[in-house]
Amino acid sequence: MSVSATDIVATDPFLVLTVDSPSSLRCVGTLDRVIGYHLVDAVDEMLEAKPDTIAIDIERLRLADRDAAEALSEVQRRATQAGTTVRWHGVGADHLRTAPDLAYRTSLRAA
């Protein structure tokens, strides 16, 4: 079976990491627990330059499984340990605006 270049281009990338500048990383594709170390390694290399801030764009990143989020948590942990702030792009706060109202009445009863 042969695969044409068009077929390859049409497939969804598994994970593509693009370093846009020494302190900016773009993640496109699907992240899972098996390849999460690639993201962590890329950020480790960026942290070697001791930046004040790293921008990570995850707008076009999908998490394949629950364990994939561990890589994101590990990135945050390592940056914090290095004294670097991570600015996550592509994470919307709209879901907070539409969260259900959890207000409810409580009554305190005298014992």
Side-chain angles (χ1 to χ4, degrees), residues 22-23 46-47 49-55 79-80 82-87:
S23 61
M46 296 171 83
L47 290 173
K50 301 188 186 319
D52 291 330
T53 302
I54 291 177
T80 299
T84 299
T85 301
V86 177
R87 302 277 185 228

Side-chain angles (χ1 to χ4, degrees), residues 35-74:
I35 63 165
Y37 73 91
H38 290 295
L39 174 60
V40 175
D41 287 349
V43 171
D44 278 345
E45 287 184 31
M46 296 171 83
L47 290 173
E48 288 177 8
K50 301 188 186 319
D52 291 330
T53 302
I54 291 177
I56 302 177
D57 184 346
I58 58 172
E59 183 174 5
R60 294 177 48 201
L61 181 70
R62 285 179 308 284
L63 302 180
D65 49 36
R66 269 183 24 197
D67 294 331
E70 282 298 315
L72 300 178
S73 296
E74 183 65 16

